[in-house]
Amino acid sequence: MELLKVEHLTKEYGKGDVKVRALDDVSFSVQKGEFVAIIGPSGSGKSTLLHLIGGVDRPTSGRVWIDNTDIYSLDETKLAIFRRRQIGLIYQFYNLIPVLTVRENITLPLELDGRKVEEAYFQEVVRTLGLEDRLKHLPNELSGGQQQRVSIGRALLPNPALILADEPTGNLDRKTGEDIMSLLKLSHRRYQQTLIVITHDESIALQADRMIAIEDGRITRDETIRSVHPSGGVRE
C-alpha cells in the first residue's frame, strides 16, 4: 500500500539572477512500512525534500500526498494538526525544549493536540529507548545520544504514519550514531511505521530497504536493497 507520493516537487529560492532551484521536478512514492534512505552531498537538496515532505515548508510547485491526503491543499491550521498527528520529525540537533523534562518533551505533541497520553504505550516507548530512569531530567542533564533518544520518543509517541529523520546521527560520535540507527530500525519494525532517513553516509543508507540518491536537486539513483513484505518483514 502506498503511503507517500511525491509528484513533480520543485523548490526555488530567490528571484532573477539570484534564483536557486534547490529541488528540481522530483517524483517518487513510498510504500507503507518501507525504510527509505535519501543520500546526497551537502547542498544536494535532500534536507529541502524532507522539509517539503514533512510540511514544514511549501514547494514552488508539485504535490505531496501522505495517506491519501494532499498536504498542501490544507490551510496552515489543518496542516499543523495533520503534521502533529501523522508525521514524526527527528532532527540532527534534537530541538528539545530546555525547560521541559524528558517526559514533558516526549509528550509535548500530544499535549499540544489535546490528546491523552496512553501510559502503557508511553512506557513501552521509553523502555525501547532506554530512558526509564531519565524521565525527570532536563535536556542539559543528558548526553547527546540521550537527547536524540528523547527526540525519537517525541516523534514516536503520537504513533504517526511517517517518521522523517534528518541526519539523525550527524551530531553524534560513531558508536552513539550506530546505537541511534539500531533504535530507529527497532522502532520501525516494532511499530510498523514508514521511515525516511536523510544521510550523507552510504553505510547508513545500506541498512535501509531502499536508497534514493539526490544531486543538484534531482534524483540520480533509486534502488531497492530489500523487498518489503506485506507482513512488515523484508527479503534480502
Side-chain angles (χ1 to χ4, degrees):
M1 179 190 297
E2 186 179 81
L3 179 81
L4 169 69
K5 186 175 183 180
V6 174
E7 291 185 331
H8 304 294
L9 209 57
T10 296
K11 180 64 177 180
E12 296 175 344
Y13 297 98
K15 295 181 179 180
D17 293 341
V18 295
K19 183 167 69 176
V20 174
R21 181 166 288 188
L23 214 60
D24 189 3
D25 194 30
V26 169
S27 299
F28 66 95
S29 61
V30 175
Q31 299 301 303
K32 185 175 182 179
E34 196 171 11
F35 172 14
V36 178
I38 299 178
I39 67 169
S42 296
S44 60
K46 59 187 188 297
S47 290
T48 299
L49 174 60
L50 192 85
H51 294 155
L52 294 176
I53 293 172
V56 296
D57 195 5
R58 287 188 176 267
T60 303
S61 61
R63 304 169 84 179
V64 173
W65 295 79
I66 297 176
D67 204 14
N68 295 317
T69 296
D70 180 356
I71 67 171
Y72 290 111
S73 69
L74 304 175
D75 63 31
E76 291 299 331
T77 300
K78 290 180 179 178
L79 178 57
I81 293 170
F82 182 89
R83 190 168 57 233
R84 262 199 318 265
R85 295 177 178 177
Q86 298 296 332
I87 304 170
L89 286 162
I90 301 167
Y91 294 100
Q92 178 179 349
F93 294 103
Y94 324 134
N95 286 357
L96 303 180
I97 307 299
V99 297
L100 299 184
T101 65
V102 166
R103 181 185 177 92
E104 290 167 339
N105 267 286
I106 292 174
T107 60
L108 183 61
L110 294 185
E111 299 289 345
L112 291 172
D113 210 24
R115 295 160 64 190
K116 183 179 178 181
V117 176
E118 295 183 19
E119 193 61 29
Y121 180 55
F122 173 82
Q123 292 298 332
E124 181 183 353
V125 168
V126 298
R127 278 197 304 271
T128 299
L129 297 172
L131 292 170
E132 309 101 300
D133 60 347
R134 294 287 186 271
L135 295 180
K136 295 182 179 180
H137 288 64
L138 295 173
N140 64 5
E141 299 173 314
L142 306 177
S143 68
Q146 289 169 337
Q147 291 185 60
Q148 188 61 291
R149 288 168 187 246
V150 175
S151 72
I152 292 171
R154 182 180 56 193
L156 291 177
L157 195 64
N159 198 20
L162 179 63
I163 299 288
L164 302 175
D166 190 1
E167 298 279 7
T169 65
N171 201 34
L172 303 170
D173 62 73
R174 178 169 292 277
K175 175 62 170 65
T176 305
E178 289 172 354
D179 290 344
I180 291 300
M181 281 308 304
S182 294
L183 280 170
L184 280 173
K185 290 189 293 181
L186 174 63
S187 60
H188 157 68
R189 291 192 300 269
R190 178 169 293 176
Y191 305 120
Q192 299 182 336
Q193 288 163 320
T194 305
L195 173 63
I196 298 179
V197 174
I198 296 288
T199 183
H200 64 275
D201 188 338
E202 194 157 330
S203 67
I204 290 176
L206 289 171
Q207 300 174 45
D209 305 322
R210 177 178 165 204
M211 179 166 54
I212 297 175
I214 291 184
E215 291 184 25
D216 298 323
R218 287 179 170 268
I219 292 177
T220 58
R221 185 165 36 123
D222 185 345
E223 61 184 73
T224 299
I225 301 170
R226 300 166 187 83
S227 299
V228 180
H229 287 237
S231 63
V234 297
R235 179 187 295 120
E236 300 290 342

